[in-house]
Every structure is written in C-alpha cells, then in structure tokens.
Amino acid sequence: MLQGDLAEIGFTLHSSVVIHNVMTMQFIEFIFLILTLALTLIIILPFTGVLVRFRANYNPKALRLDVEGGAQAHTGPVIHSYFGMMARVHRLEGWPGLYKGLMPTLLSTLVVTLFILVFLDTPRVRHGKYRAPEAGILGTLGYAVGMMLITLPTAILTYRSITTPHKLSYFGLMQNLRILLTPTERRRPWILYLTPGLLTAEVLHIVVVVLVLEPLRRLLLPELLVESDKGFSGISAVKLSIFLVIVALSTIILTPLEVIAIRLAIQRNHASSEYNSVSQEVDGDAEETAEFSGAEEDVIGLRHEADPYLGLVDCAKRIIDEEGWTTLYRAWWVTLLGNVGSAFSLR
C-alpha cells in the first residue's frame, strides 16, 4: 500500500515537472516570437511607410481651376522615386516621420499573431513559423479573405497615420482617432468596410495571388512545398524561369491594385462628399489645435476630399487622367520582389 502511494506521488510530481517545463518552453517561445516581431517592425516599418507615402502622393500633371475658374498650377511636392521620398520624409520629419503608423501596425500584428496562435496554427511548434490551414485552394482563399477583413480597419488607420500631415501621439488613442476618422466613421465604424472600391481592390489582389500564382507555383515548383536537404538544386531551371516570368507579368496587375488600395484607404468617408470633416463636427468635437509634423511644408500632396474617388474603376481612370498611367506603377519593383520572395518561402 505504501509503495503504491509513493509511486502515485512520484508520478504526480513527474507530471507536474513535465507540465511546468512545457509551459516554460511555450512561454519562452512566445517571448522570442514577440521580440522577433518587434525587431521586424523596427526594420521594416520605415520602408513600408515610405512606400505608402510614395504611392499616396497626389501629383497632378495638368493645371486645375480655382473657385473663380482661373487656371492654377499644382504647388504640391513632386517626387519621382521611392528613395527620393525617403530622403524627403527624413528631411522634413526626421526619424519620427519614418516611424509614423507604428502603433496601428503593432496592434494589427499582435491581433493577427494571437488569432493564428489560438485558432489556426498546427499543434506542433515550428520554430516561429505559422501557416494557413491546409484546406485546398478554396480554403486558402477563404482564409486570406477572412484575415483581410480582420485587419482592414487597422490597415486603414495605419495608412492614414502614415500619410496625415498631423503629428500623432503614440499613446493618445482618442485624439488620434479624432484626427484620422471623420465623425461619420467614428459614429459608424463599420462604414470603413464600405469605402468605395477598397474591398474590391483587396479581394482582387487576393484572387490573383491565391487562384493564379499559388496554383502555378505548386504546378511548376512542387519542390518548394516541402523542406529538402537538396535545397533549390532539384528545381528545374526551365520551370523556374517560366514561373518568374509569370510573377513578373502578375506585377502588371498587382501593383495598380496596391496603389489604388492605398488611395482608397486614405480617402475618408463623409456623410456627404460636399462637406469636409471640420464642417461636420458637432460642437466641441473639432481638433483645430492638432500639430503638424512638418514645420516647413507637407511631405506629400493629398487629393481634396470634396472630390472623392467613387470606386476602383473611377480611381484608376482619375489617376491616369490626372497624374498619368505611370502613377499606377510607383515602386513596382517592391511588388515584384515581394512576390518572388513569397514564392520561395517554404510552406
């Protein structure tokens, strides 16, 4: 009897130690993941912010009419390159300007990471790598659309935080929301999903990647789907070349969608397009004392909100008519490099 009790006590102690060790390892891995994400944001965010500003910059090529019908030349900044925009941001706003959008990006990353860890990841820890459920093409499409819907509000806030001329506080949430959102959007936050053309642009981007690029990758480069000791040596050079050409051609479609998505995301939703956000404010709700980031001039030019884009097609047409078709392909090489990098990531 005594031996049985001792054995039971020993088993209980052993189980407790095992559980404690497992929980400790999971906690350490979680902390390591958070630190890795933080380091990634510190490195990536300045480049992302510059990309958003470069694509959002409104630079009409023709004269516009003033309120009296006279011709008025565009006086906004003219930036012709990605790195030119980076230099301009640093010159006018310094390092804080390069890290605009930090808090909404951090919030979005944490939400998505926790969602994947809790609901979607496999039980086995894979050294900080997480993947979508293996449910076929339609399952992957549904997963991608679902994650887009979850992160869309924070993506909109991130884009607006990056492009706003106002200086935002890192922890002044309510004040920042009063600057970034119109009263209509604050009263009815779901209207962000109804931004004309934005969901269409995002879904089309997902469709091209999931229903076109991913199946072709599986067909032409099945070696990339599994980890192998051979690395990339077993990949056919001909098939690889064909796939890279397809990825390059997809950039012709994906880059305009990304540019249009940014333009539509920073376009605020008003109760009526003829009113600006200040004229819609209720008493005591206006933020007239919001400080501007640049002491000399705005970093980028923004299109007047009184004449908004009416949808994806309208946005594309107006960009071509007002700024030229090359505007739709700003920083196209970033999209190309991103697609090539995603193609070679093991899943």
Side-chain angles (χ1 to χ4, degrees):
M1 187 72 174
L2 180 59
Q3 291 179 349
D5 292 340
L6 291 175
E8 183 177 352
I9 293 174
F11 177 77
T12 302
L13 291 175
H14 176 72
S15 300
S16 301
V17 172
V18 171
I19 294 174
H20 179 266
N21 291 338
V22 171
M23 293 181 64
T24 301
M25 290 299 297
Q26 290 179 341
F27 178 75
I28 293 175
E29 290 172 348
F30 178 74
I31 295 298
F32 178 76
L33 174 62
I34 295 299
L35 293 176
T36 302
L37 290 174
L39 180 61
T40 302
L41 286 179
I42 291 174
I43 297 174
I44 298 297
L45 186 59
F47 296 97
T48 303
V50 171
L51 177 65
V52 171
R53 294 208 211 203
F54 182 47
R55 289 177 168 176
N57 182 46
Y58 180 63
N59 183 30
K61 59 183 180 181
L63 299 176
R64 60 181 179 179
L65 299 180
D66 55 23
V67 292
E68 298 179 355
Q72 181 181 14
H74 176 67
T75 58
V78 179
I79 302 99
H80 298 290
S81 70
Y82 173 89
F83 294 102
M85 176 63 74
M86 179 178 290
R88 181 177 176 83
V89 173
H90 186 266
R91 177 172 63 85
L92 293 179
E93 296 183 353
W95 285 103
L98 292 173
Y99 282 93
K100 264 190 168 183
L102 174 63
M103 296 309 292
T105 302
L106 180 62
L107 175 63
S108 176
T109 303
L110 288 177
V111 169
V112 171
T113 301
L114 292 175
F115 184 82
I116 292 176
L117 286 174
V118 174
F119 298 105
L120 298 177
D121 197 27
T122 54
R124 181 180 300 177
V125 177
R126 300 183 295 117
H127 305 289
K129 297 179 180 178
Y130 302 93
R131 58 181 171 82
E134 296 180 355
I137 294 179
L138 293 181
T140 304
L141 178 64
Y143 167 84
V145 172
M147 295 304 295
M148 179 271 292
L149 293 175
I150 292 173
T151 59
L152 186 62
T154 54
I156 292 174
L157 290 176
T158 300
Y159 292 158
R160 295 183 184 181
S161 298
I162 292 171
T163 57
T164 181
H166 297 286
K167 183 177 292 185
L168 301 177
S169 169
Y170 285 109
F171 301 103
L173 175 62
M174 298 309 299
Q175 179 183 1
N176 292 345
L177 291 179
R178 289 161 66 90
I179 294 174
L180 299 176
L181 302 176
T182 65
T184 300
E185 291 172 332
R186 296 202 300 271
R187 287 193 299 266
R188 296 181 293 168
W190 60 87
I191 203 174
L192 294 175
Y193 287 99
L194 304 180
T195 302
L198 181 57
L199 275 180
T200 304
E202 296 287 357
V203 171
L204 285 176
H205 192 283
I206 291 172
V207 167
V208 172
V209 173
V210 175
L211 298 187
V212 179
L213 293 183
E214 183 61 19
L216 288 175
R217 187 182 84 128
R218 291 176 177 271
L219 176 65
L220 296 173
L221 304 174
E223 297 85 358
L224 295 178
L225 301 178
V226 293
E227 296 184 8
S228 173
D229 296 334
K230 296 181 180 180
F232 299 126
S233 60
I235 299 177
S236 168
V238 175
K239 292 183 178 180
L240 177 60
S241 300
I242 294 174
F243 181 73
L244 291 178
V245 170
I246 294 173
V247 170
L249 292 175
S250 71
T251 306
I252 298 175
I253 300 175
L254 294 178
T255 305
L257 289 176
E258 293 172 2
V259 173
I260 290 171
I262 290 176
R263 292 293 184 97
L264 295 176
I266 65 175
Q267 176 176 284
R268 304 194 302 169
N269 296 280
H270 299 280
S272 176
S273 60
E274 62 182 291
Y275 299 121
N276 58 35
S277 60
V278 175
S279 64
Q280 293 183 81
E281 301 282 357
V282 296
D283 292 339
D285 199 34
E287 290 291 344
E288 299 179 357
T289 60
E291 184 181 356
F292 287 89
S293 298
E296 303 176 5
E297 54 184 312
D298 292 339
V299 177
I300 64 173
L302 297 175
R303 201 169 186 276
H304 201 286
E305 293 185 352
D307 185 24
Y309 300 119
L310 303 179
L312 185 147
V313 176
D314 179 69
C315 181
K317 288 182 177 180
R318 292 199 186 193
I319 288 176
I320 294 173
D321 293 340
E322 297 172 3
E323 305 175 68
W325 65 270
T326 56
T327 302
L328 292 173
Y329 290 95
R330 286 179 179 173
W332 59 268
W333 51 271
V334 175
T335 301
L336 176 61
L337 291 177
N339 290 334
V340 172
S342 298
F344 283 89
S345 63
L346 295 175
R347 299 183 181 180

